[in-house]
């Protein structure tokens, strides 16, 4: 029961992550199945393991291949297509999480800048307070975008560990 339950937990985790970030949970189930598979799996095997129809799995795999979460493999002498997960959790995070967060950060910036433009010519105390609040939020949002871009562009764990160590040492001061 241990292996089966461990697989279920991983599949449920990826399905939940997919749901949280606005993707179909099937993408998470498929990724979880392939992430744990020792060998590439056929469309039929994936459908059987996930319990979804061939057509749903096929559509999901096309999308997942397009965004880099799975790779299609052809075996010599076999007409079937086989799939494997990229095995890089970074790719999953980028597709399922970072892209959604970046979209929100960029939308936030657009809306804050629009609101700031609306205050042009306003000189009341309330307008100054609102302007200062928006300008603060714009600066924070710009920092969040820089940090997110750094995470997206750097997959070297050593670089990220050094950054984290630097940030943690600053906290202690």
């Amino acid at each position: 029961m241990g292996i089966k339950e461990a697989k279920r937990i991983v599949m449920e985790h990826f399905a939940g992550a997919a749901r949280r970030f606005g993707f179909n949970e099937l993408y998470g189930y498929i990724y979880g199945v392939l992430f744990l598979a020792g060998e590439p799996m056929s469309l039929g095997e994936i459908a059987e393991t996930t319990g979804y129809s061939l057509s749903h799995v096929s559509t999901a795999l096309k999308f997942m291949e397009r965004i880099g979460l799975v790779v299609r493999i052809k075996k010599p002498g076999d007409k079937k297509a086989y799939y494997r997960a990229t095995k890089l959790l970074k790719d999953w995070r980028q597709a399922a999480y970072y892209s959604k967060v970046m979209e929100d950060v960029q939308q936030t910036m657009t809306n804050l800048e629009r609101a700031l433009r609306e205050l042009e010519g306003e000189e009341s105390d309330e307008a100054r307070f609102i302007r200062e609040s928006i300008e603060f939020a714009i600066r924070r949002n710009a920092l969040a975008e820089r940090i997110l871009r750094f995470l997206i562009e750097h997959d070297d764990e050593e670089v990220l560990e050094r950054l984290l160590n630097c940030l943690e040492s600053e906290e202690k001061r």
Side-chain angles (χ1 to χ4, degrees):
M1 186 78 170
I3 292 173
K4 187 175 180 179
E5 183 62 12
K7 286 182 175 183
R8 187 196 64 74
I9 290 168
V10 171
M11 288 173 55
E12 285 293 327
H13 164 74
F14 284 114
R19 280 190 302 270
R20 283 190 301 278
F21 301 117
F23 290 103
N24 185 319
E25 70 181 15
L26 175 55
Y27 302 158
Y29 284 121
I30 291 172
Y31 189 85
V33 165
L34 293 174
F35 181 78
L36 296 173
E39 296 289 326
M41 295 177 69
S42 70
L43 174 67
E45 292 168 328
I46 297 166
E48 184 180 322
T49 304
T50 61
Y52 284 84
S53 71
L54 287 172
S55 63
H56 281 99
V57 172
S58 176
T59 301
L61 283 167
K62 286 175 187 168
F63 174 77
M64 294 174 73
E65 186 177 15
R66 193 168 56 249
I67 64 172
L69 290 176
V70 300
V71 176
R72 184 175 19 174
I73 298 166
K74 290 295 244 176
K75 293 182 180 180
D78 192 339
K79 293 183 181 185
K80 290 182 188 175
Y82 293 83
Y83 297 86
R84 68 173 173 78
T86 59
K87 296 290 188 188
L88 298 175
L89 291 177
K90 174 188 94 55
D91 294 329
W92 174 256
R93 284 192 303 264
Q94 281 183 322
Y97 179 68
Y98 292 157
S99 64
K100 293 290 185 182
V101 174
M102 183 61 83
E103 183 180 310
D104 182 66
V105 165
Q106 291 168 341
Q107 186 63 51
T108 298
M109 186 63 81
T110 298
N111 289 331
L112 290 171
E113 289 170 344
R114 260 184 50 221
L116 197 57
R117 282 192 302 275
E118 287 297 320
L119 291 173
E120 289 176 5
E122 297 284 337
E123 295 304 326
S124 68
D125 288 342
E126 182 180 19
R128 277 191 284 279
F129 175 78
I130 293 171
R131 188 177 296 112
E132 288 172 7
S133 297
I134 292 171
E135 288 169 346
F136 174 79
I138 286 173
R139 287 191 304 275
R140 282 296 174 105
N141 198 66
L143 285 173
E145 183 174 5
R146 287 177 57 202
I147 291 167
L148 188 57
R149 284 194 190 283
F150 186 88
L151 289 172
I152 291 170
E153 294 168 4
H154 294 83
D155 60 355
D156 183 346
E157 284 189 35
E158 186 178 335
V159 170
L160 295 175
E161 285 290 337
R162 286 194 314 228
L163 174 63
L164 188 57
N165 289 336
C166 181
L167 292 171
E168 288 173 343
S169 69
E170 288 293 319
E171 280 180 7
K172 296 174 186 172
R173 292 184 199 173

